[in-house]
């Protein structure tokens, strides 16, 4: 050992000045970029909530796999890299360690495998400034796995053994951060074990990984007995994620082809690099590690393309780009055939082109824009360290919690508190005794198994209070999230209070009842149907209608979903009064069962459902029929043709208390808030594919009168997502009018103009006009609703819904004659359109009143 240390010291002393300069420069960059500073909260309150919650769970030693079931593990708080007073120093120490290992590993790879100085520059520029993003750290953590494989495949010296051990410790840490990393890393550790057996060495990596993982697990306050349930339950989350989080964007066939070509070329590159081994044992070991590398790349593609869109796909493409860059710099300066060099150049250019295309489409930016952004981050982190500004992090945190309390006000609550939906930041900001359900964000309970875990928790360990909200993601059917818990809320809790937040958030306060009631499902009825077939809904005479919908994937559909994003399924509904809505329907949650009719969209609707008068108060939102549809008819091959639907009625006792009467009769006035909160909310809504709500949030921000350029830009992005290109161009121009140097708005405008001439789906564009007109009606902007309705009429002239919307808008403007004409036209097209009849009667009665 002493001889090895002496040898390495002599090697270091003999290193030329160039490498010393590279080492010091990259050490500075690594510490300044990775170890210093903190990540900003993720866009949207849903992500911000789980980030805060992970710090709280670690500090309070919640048991992962049993008390907490999520995609992250006990050290997941490190992944967020955000300030929290309970984990501040541990976060800093952890990131300093990660920064140092990242620096040393990337440096040693460059030293051993890259000789050309320009290619060394490309390698480090890529790692530190092009493919690193402080707001999403997946590519940073995946880089450690890449380094680990590279050492085993291409570097074989005494110091590499030490490096492998160091990287193994890091892999243990990130395996405890996020379960996806655990799935990537464990097969590689198994390969290292087999490799050691073939070499007749001690299984050092396996022993080190196992012992370190268990050590980290225990010092995080976790029980070893929970480890099996952590793996089992996390696998449930991972398995159903693809189906439940699907509807971000349709995965184009050309994208499937391009990423598949990249995968095939990468496999070929890896196998070529190890084929020229002369000793059979070494060749077998190299092939084993090559297979492990290919498995890792396949998982990255799965993670990026199982939910195709601006978040996951772009984040994981960065990792694929790092792999492409490595083989580029590895082969260009190596004595290898010209065919191999052409192969790696083509493959690298292909993944860079894929990444650039998606950056341009979703963010209107380029790969190289990250250089200036990360340079700014580096400079800012160094300035803050020099000025000791990080000391004020606690004060900033407390100010942020005060802002959240003002934004989401809640009454004082005694006892333990849980929250339905995903705004955990409210309970944390108010310093309640937080007692979460295991799947603490309701939208993540996306299988029957997971839903039942939360149901059993409510039955056995129910908290004293539930803060109930109706927020969901991705325009899901409103009662899907944690659907099995809703009957428990209606019978084991009493509605006691409500609170209105500043961005339209309404919370009900449910208090555990001293006299809990029971519920049951009665009058079950099974039917078989198909996609695009209208299904009549049972009447609500016996109680609210509960439904389970079994949608099975075909063999080819399952194969598609195993790698790429599967097609989403939707539920199209028609109410008794003729209103039509379309919602995302994740197949595993649909099979679990959920409350179908009446349509419960808000906490106030939920309150009405708990009253004796529920039928009368919710008559307008009783459903008449539903239709199950796919993304497009061309995607139906992914599913079995037959759909099994089971209807039943939810039977439970009701009462109308003074608290309920007060909630339903007292006007709900939202708090006054900074317009930036509506802008932040619009970003979250865009991220959740709720573009109609995002546009309305931008309207509210504009009414407040400040940050208009941001509001117009976000509104334009939402309009562009709805394929309303002309309208998007108009608002982007407004954004630039208010801020002539607003480069992002300029980029968005250029992109909108570039796709203006593209062919459009008229029916889908008309549907977006209709839905947006309804959104404007709901906030009283009748002129805008009329303008959108008229545009929709130009695309679909005989649509009764559009004429009904025009009637509602004219009624809102007290233009009774125009309202009557529009309603009569709707009824002429659809004689049984009850909602239009109601609106016509209202217009006539109000016209008569105005003449008196």
């Amino acid at each position: 050992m002493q001889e090895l240390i002496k040898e390495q010291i002599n090697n270091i002393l003999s290193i030329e000045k160039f490498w010393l300069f590279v080492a010091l420069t990259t050490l500075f960059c690594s510490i300044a970029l990775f170890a210093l500073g903190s990540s900003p909260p993720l866009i949207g309150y849903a992500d911000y909530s789980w980030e805060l919650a992970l710090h709280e769970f670690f500090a309070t030693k919640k048991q992962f796999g049993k008390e907490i079931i999520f995609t992250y593990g006990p050290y997941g708080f490190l992944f967020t890299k955000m300030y929290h007073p309970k984990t501040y120093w541990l976060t800093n120490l952890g990131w300093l360690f990660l920064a140092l290992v990242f620096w040393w590993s990337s440096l040693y790879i460059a030293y051993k495998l890259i000789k050309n100085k320009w290619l060394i520059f490309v390698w480090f520029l890529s790692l530190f400034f092009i493919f690193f993003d402080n707001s999403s750290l997946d590519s940073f953590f995946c880089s450690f796995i890449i380094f680990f494989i590279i050492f085993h495949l291409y570097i074989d010296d005494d110091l590499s053994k030490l490096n492998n051990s160091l990287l193994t410790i890091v892999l243990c840490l990130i395996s405890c951060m996020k379960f996806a990393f655990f799935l990537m890393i464990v097969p590689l550790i198994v390969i290292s074990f087999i490799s050691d057996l073939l070499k007749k060495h001690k299984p050092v990596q396996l022993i080190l990984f196992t012992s370190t993982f268990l050590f980290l697990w225990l010092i995080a306050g976790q029980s070893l007995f929970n480890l099996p349930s952590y793996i089992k339950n996390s696998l449930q989350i991972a398995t159903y994620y693809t189906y439940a989080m699907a509807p971000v964007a349709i995965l184009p066939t050309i994208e499937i082809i391009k990423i598949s070509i990249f995968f095939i070329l990468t496999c070929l590159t890896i196998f070529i690099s190890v084929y020229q081994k002369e000793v059979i044992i070494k060749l077998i070991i190299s092939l084993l590690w090559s297979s492990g590398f290919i498995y890792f790349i396949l998982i990255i593609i799965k993670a990026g393309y199982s939910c195709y869109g601006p978040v996951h796909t772009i984040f994981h493409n960065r990792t694929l780009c790092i792999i492409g860059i490595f083989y580029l710099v590895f082969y260009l300066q190596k004595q290898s055939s010209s065919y191999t060099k052409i192969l790696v150049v083509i493959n690298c250019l292909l993944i860079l082109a894929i990444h650039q295309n998606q950056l341009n489409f979703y963010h209107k930016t380029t790969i190289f824009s990250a250089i200036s952004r990360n340079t700014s981050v580096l400079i800012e982190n160094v300035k803050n360290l020099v000025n000791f500004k990080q000391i004020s992090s606690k004060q900033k945190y407390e100010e942020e919690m005060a802002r959240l309390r003002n934004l989401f006000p809640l009454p004082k609550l005694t006892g333990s508190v849980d929250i339905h939906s995903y705004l955990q930041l409210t309970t944390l900001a108010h310093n309640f005794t937080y007692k979460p359900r295991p799947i603490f964000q309701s939208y993540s309970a996306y299988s029957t198994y997971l839903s039942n875990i939360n149901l059993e928790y409510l039955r056995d360990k129910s908290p004293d209070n539930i803060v109930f909200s109706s927020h969901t993601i991705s325009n899901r059917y409103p009662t899907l999230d944690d659907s099995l818990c809703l009957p428990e809320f209606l019978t084991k809790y009493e509605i006691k209070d409500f609170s209105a937040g500043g961005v339209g958030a309404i919370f009900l306060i449910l208090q555990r009842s001293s006299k809990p009631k029971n519920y049951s499902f009665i009058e079950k009825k099974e039917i078989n149907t198909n996609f695009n077939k209208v299904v009549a809904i049972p009447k609500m005479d016996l109680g609210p209608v509960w439904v389970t919908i079994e949608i099975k994937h075909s063999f080819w559909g399952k194969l598609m979903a195993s790698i790429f994003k599967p097609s989403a399924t939707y539920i199209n509904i028609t109410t008794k009064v003729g209103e039509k809505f379309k919602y995302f329907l994740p197949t595993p949650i649909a099979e679990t069962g959920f409350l179908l009719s009446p349509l419960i969209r808000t906490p106030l609707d939920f309150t009405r459902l708990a009253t004796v008068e529920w039928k009368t108060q919710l008559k307008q939102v009783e459903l008449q029929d539903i239709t199950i549809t796919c993304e497009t008819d061309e995607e139906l091959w992914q599913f079995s043709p037959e759909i099994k639907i089971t209807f039943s009625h939810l039977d439970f006792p009701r009462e109308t208390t003074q608290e309920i009467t007060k909630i339903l009769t007292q006007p709900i006035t939202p708090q006054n808030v900074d317009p930036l909160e509506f802008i932040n909310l619009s970003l979250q809504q865009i991220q959740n594919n709720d573009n109609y709500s995002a546009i309305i949030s931008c309207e509210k921000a504009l009414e407040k009168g400040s940050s208009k350029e941001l509001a117009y830009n976000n509104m334009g992005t939402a309009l562009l997502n709805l394929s309303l290109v002309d309208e998007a161009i108009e608002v982007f121009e407004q954004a630039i009018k208010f801020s002539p140097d607003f480069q992002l708005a300029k980029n968005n405008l250029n992109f909108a103009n570039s796709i203006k001439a593209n062919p459009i789906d008229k029916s889908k564009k008309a549907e977006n006009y209709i839905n947006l007109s309804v959104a404007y009606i709901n906030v009283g902007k009748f002129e805008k609703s009329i303008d959108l309705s008229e545009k929709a009429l130009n695309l679909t002239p005989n649509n009764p819904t559009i004429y009904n919307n025009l009637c509602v808008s004219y009624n809102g403007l007290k233009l009774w004659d125009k309202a009557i004409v529009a309603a009569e036209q709707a009824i002429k097209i659809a004689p049984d359109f009850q909602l239009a009849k109601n609106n016509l009667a209202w217009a006539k009665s109000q016209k008569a009143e105005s003449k008196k």
Side-chain angles (χ1 to χ4, degrees):
M1 188 64 180
Q2 289 180 343
E3 292 297 323
L4 177 61
I5 293 174
K6 287 181 180 179
E7 181 182 349
Q8 296 307 322
I9 291 174
N10 290 331
N11 289 338
I12 292 171
L13 293 175
S14 63
I15 291 176
E16 58 183 280
K17 292 181 180 180
F18 167 77
W19 279 106
L20 288 175
F21 171 77
V22 170
L24 293 174
T25 303
T26 53
L27 177 61
F28 169 77
C29 290
S30 186
I31 292 175
L33 272 176
F34 308 143
L36 301 180
S38 60
S39 294
L42 290 176
I43 292 173
Y45 295 119
D47 293 329
Y48 195 179
S49 290
W50 64 254
E51 283 192 326
L52 279 176
L54 287 177
H55 289 265
E56 188 69 22
F57 296 155
F58 179 84
T60 55
K61 300 188 185 304
K62 293 288 185 184
Q63 297 298 300
F64 280 76
K66 186 176 181 182
E67 294 179 306
I68 300 298
I69 299 171
F70 196 48
T71 52
Y72 290 81
Y75 290 90
F77 71 94
L78 285 174
F79 186 90
T80 70
K81 202 188 176 186
M82 65 183 291
Y83 174 84
H84 193 282
K86 296 179 181 178
T87 55
Y88 175 65
W89 292 108
L90 190 57
T91 299
N92 281 318
L93 288 173
W95 274 94
L96 177 61
F97 173 66
L98 291 170
L100 291 175
V101 176
F102 186 93
W103 162 73
W104 175 250
S105 300
S106 60
L107 180 69
Y108 200 74
I109 288 171
Y111 180 71
K112 296 295 291 186
L113 300 179
I114 309 172
K115 304 304 178 184
N116 184 285
K117 293 181 180 180
W118 286 108
L119 295 179
I120 292 169
F121 173 76
V122 170
W123 169 245
F124 285 113
L125 182 69
S126 300
L127 288 178
F128 289 105
F129 291 99
I130 297 181
F131 301 117
F132 170 71
D133 187 341
N134 199 42
S135 64
S136 174
L137 299 163
D138 287 89
S139 60
F140 173 78
F141 288 109
C142 286
S143 296
F144 289 104
I145 304 175
I146 296 172
F147 296 161
F148 184 72
I149 298 171
I150 289 173
F151 272 104
H152 279 281
L153 270 175
Y154 305 114
I155 303 176
D156 186 15
D157 58 20
D158 292 330
L159 194 55
S160 68
K161 297 174 183 177
L162 177 63
N163 291 331
N164 284 331
S165 297
L166 201 58
L167 283 168
T168 300
I169 295 171
V170 172
L171 297 189
C172 286
L173 180 59
I174 66 176
S175 293
C176 291
M177 285 186 197
K178 193 174 182 179
F179 186 71
F181 295 147
F182 181 86
L183 290 177
M184 295 175 189
I185 292 166
V186 167
L188 299 178
I189 298 301
V190 172
I191 288 174
S192 74
F193 171 66
I194 298 172
S195 175
D196 286 333
L197 289 181
L198 291 173
K199 293 178 181 177
K200 298 181 180 180
H201 292 167
K202 292 181 179 179
V204 177
Q205 306 296 329
L206 178 64
I207 294 171
L208 182 61
F209 181 86
T210 305
S211 58
T212 305
F213 184 90
L214 294 177
F215 173 74
L216 291 172
W217 187 263
L218 290 171
I219 65 170
Q222 304 298 301
S223 168
L224 288 178
F225 296 106
N226 287 335
L227 193 52
S229 62
Y230 169 72
I231 296 172
K232 177 184 176 181
N233 292 332
S234 297
L235 276 172
Q236 277 282 320
I237 293 277
T239 300
Y240 289 100
Y241 181 92
T242 297
Y243 300 101
M245 306 292 282
V248 175
I250 298 175
L251 180 57
T253 304
I254 188 64
E255 293 296 329
I256 297 177
I257 294 172
K258 286 192 291 187
I259 201 66
S260 299
I261 292 173
F262 167 77
F263 176 70
I264 293 169
L265 293 181
T266 302
C267 294
L268 186 60
T269 301
I270 293 171
F271 283 123
I272 287 174
S273 69
V274 301
Y275 183 71
Q276 299 172 355
K277 301 283 183 180
E278 296 180 0
V279 181
I280 187 65
I281 294 297
K282 286 187 176 181
L283 178 59
I284 292 172
I285 292 171
S286 296
L287 290 174
L288 273 173
W289 279 105
S290 299
S291 301
F293 203 179
I294 291 167
Y295 164 80
F296 167 72
I297 294 167
L298 193 62
I299 294 294
I300 292 296
I301 293 174
K302 163 71 174 173
Y305 287 82
S306 63
C307 192
Y308 183 74
V311 182
H312 302 78
T313 309
I314 288 177
F315 290 170
H316 290 287
N317 272 351
R318 293 192 184 106
T319 303
L320 299 178
C321 287
I322 291 172
I323 296 169
I325 290 293
F326 166 73
Y327 277 107
L328 182 73
V329 299
F330 176 61
Y331 268 110
L332 285 187
Q333 46 81 55
K334 187 180 178 183
Q335 290 185 347
S336 54
S337 68
S338 57
Y339 296 107
T340 305
K341 292 182 179 181
I342 292 172
L343 173 66
V344 296
V345 169
I346 291 174
N347 205 26
C348 186
L349 291 176
L350 175 61
I351 190 59
L352 290 175
I354 293 171
H355 187 45
Q356 175 57 62
N357 179 61
Q358 290 167 359
L359 281 174
N360 180 63
F361 183 80
Y362 288 112
H363 299 302
K364 321 303 180 293
T365 187
T366 68
I367 291 174
F368 299 106
S369 62
I371 297 175
S372 60
R373 182 182 66 245
N374 288 337
T375 302
S376 299
V377 170
L378 184 148
I379 294 170
E380 186 67 22
N381 287 347
V382 173
K383 282 183 178 178
N384 288 342
L385 180 67
V386 172
N387 297 329
F388 299 101
K389 285 187 177 180
Q390 294 207 46
I391 296 174
S392 64
S393 295
K394 184 176 181 180
Q395 179 182 349
K396 291 179 180 177
Y397 174 83
E398 291 173 349
E399 290 173 353
E400 174 65 6
M401 293 301 104
R403 183 187 72 85
L404 291 174
R405 287 192 293 271
N406 179 65
L407 187 63
F408 302 108
L410 291 172
K412 185 177 180 180
L413 299 177
T414 303
S416 56
V417 179
D418 191 11
I419 182 165
H420 172 75
S421 192
Y422 57 68
L423 290 176
Q424 288 76 24
L425 52 81
T426 56
T427 55
L428 297 171
H430 284 273
N431 295 313
F432 292 143
T433 303
Y434 182 36
K435 188 180 179 183
R437 302 180 308 291
I439 299 91
F440 62 98
Q441 288 199 306
S442 298
Y443 64 79
S444 292
Y446 39 58
S447 74
T448 303
Y449 175 82
L450 295 171
S451 294
N452 276 310
I453 289 176
N454 274 359
L455 178 61
E456 292 302 318
Y457 165 87
L458 271 182
R459 289 174 173 173
D460 298 337
K461 301 177 182 178
S462 55
D464 299 308
N465 305 278
I466 299 287
V467 178
F468 181 90
S469 70
S470 56
H471 298 95
T472 186
I473 63 170
S474 302
N475 194 36
R476 286 185 183 180
Y477 195 78
T479 48
L480 278 177
D481 294 351
D482 241 346
S483 58
L484 297 185
C485 291
L486 293 184
E488 295 292 317
F489 295 154
L490 289 165
T491 54
K492 305 303 188 294
Y493 287 83
E494 297 175 0
I495 300 172
K496 289 295 183 181
D497 204 351
F498 77 96
S499 178
V503 289
I506 298 176
F507 301 102
L508 292 180
I509 307 302
L510 312 182
Q511 191 177 91
R512 190 169 57 193
S513 176
S514 58
K515 298 178 181 180
K517 303 181 284 288
N518 294 318
Y519 64 90
S520 61
F521 298 103
I522 60 174
E523 295 290 326
K524 287 190 176 181
K525 175 186 176 183
E526 293 184 1
I527 66 168
N528 293 320
T529 186
N530 306 103
F531 282 95
N532 301 319
K533 185 176 180 180
V534 177
V535 178
I537 305 300
K539 294 182 178 180
M540 300 192 304
D541 296 342
L542 299 176
V545 179
W546 189 271
V547 68
T548 60
I549 303 175
E550 296 183 32
I551 305 171
K552 301 296 183 183
H553 283 75
S554 65
F555 170 79
W556 296 109
K558 291 178 182 178
L559 186 63
M560 169 80 171
S562 66
I563 305 297
F564 298 112
K565 171 189 177 294
S567 180
T569 50
Y570 297 89
I571 181 169
N572 298 263
I573 66 171
T574 305
T575 66
K576 289 287 187 181
V577 295
E579 287 187 293
K580 296 180 181 293
F581 302 95
K582 181 179 180 180
Y583 294 101
F584 173 45
L585 186 72
T587 53
I589 312 180
E591 189 173 340
T592 300
F594 60 97
L595 181 64
L596 177 66
S597 177
L599 176 61
I600 305 298
R601 290 174 290 185
T602 69
L604 294 181
D605 288 339
F606 181 84
T607 304
R608 295 182 182 103
L609 187 64
T611 67
V612 175
E613 303 85 5
W614 71 277
K615 284 185 185 178
T616 303
Q617 295 194 10
L618 295 170
K619 184 179 180 180
Q620 294 287 100
V621 287
E622 181 181 3
L623 299 197
Q624 177 174 292
D625 57 60
I626 62 172
T627 308
I628 308 301
T629 60
C630 187
E631 195 88 66
T632 64
D633 288 346
E634 288 74 22
E635 304 293 324
L636 287 175
W637 60 268
Q638 297 184 31
F639 301 93
S640 297
E642 190 173 86
I643 300 171
K644 180 181 177 182
I645 299 180
T646 304
F647 294 113
S648 58
H649 293 274
L650 176 61
D651 183 42
F652 65 96
R654 294 171 173 80
E655 57 182 315
T656 305
T657 63
Q658 291 181 349
E659 291 89 351
I660 289 177
T661 301
K662 178 182 176 182
I663 291 170
L664 294 177
T665 57
Q666 181 174 328
I668 297 177
T669 306
Q671 305 290 317
N672 290 324
V673 294
D674 188 321
L676 281 175
E677 297 299 346
F678 287 108
I679 293 171
N680 291 335
L681 179 62
S682 71
L683 287 172
Q684 174 192 337
Q685 290 162 336
I686 290 170
Q687 184 184 18
N688 289 340
N689 205 33
D690 188 3
N691 295 292
Y692 308 115
S693 298
I695 291 167
I696 300 305
S697 295
C698 291
E699 290 279 5
K700 291 178 180 179
L702 290 170
E703 289 172 4
K704 298 287 183 178
S706 62
S707 303
K708 288 189 174 183
E709 69 281 3
L710 295 175
Y712 277 122
N713 182 69
N714 290 356
M715 184 186 293
T717 302
L719 288 165
L720 210 55
N721 291 341
L722 296 172
S723 300
L724 305 181
V725 181
D726 292 332
E727 291 77 9
I729 289 172
E730 289 179 14
V731 295
F732 286 139
E733 288 173 345
Q734 285 293 321
I736 297 168
K737 179 180 177 181
F738 281 100
S739 180
D741 297 326
F742 194 2
Q743 190 59 48
L744 179 58
K746 291 180 180 179
N747 294 342
N748 289 339
L749 177 60
N750 291 336
F751 177 75
N753 281 317
S754 71
I755 65 172
K756 185 176 180 180
N758 291 351
I760 60 168
D761 183 337
K762 288 187 176 181
S763 62
K764 188 170 184 178
K765 188 175 182 180
E767 180 185 344
N768 287 329
Y769 277 135
I770 294 168
N771 292 337
L772 187 54
S773 71
V774 172
Y776 275 116
I777 287 172
N778 292 336
V779 294
K781 293 186 176 295
F782 302 114
E783 293 91 345
K784 289 192 174 183
S785 178
I786 291 169
D787 179 56
L788 290 165
S789 295
E790 289 175 346
K791 290 179 178 179
L793 274 178
N794 291 331
L795 297 171
T796 54
N798 294 316
N799 190 316
T801 300
I802 301 173
Y803 284 108
N804 180 68
N805 292 346
L806 281 169
C807 174
V808 174
S809 298
Y810 287 132
N811 276 339
L813 296 172
K814 299 182 180 181
L815 300 174
W816 313 121
D817 290 330
K818 290 187 175 181
I820 290 169
V821 172
E824 288 175 341
Q825 185 64 28
I827 295 167
K828 181 180 178 182
I829 299 170
D832 297 327
F833 197 172
Q834 186 59 48
L835 183 59
K837 293 179 180 179
N838 296 345
N839 290 328
L840 175 61
W842 170 259
K844 288 182 175 180
S845 67
Q846 292 303 303
K847 180 181 178 180
E849 283 286 330
S850 66
K851 290 181 178 180
K852 290 181 180 179

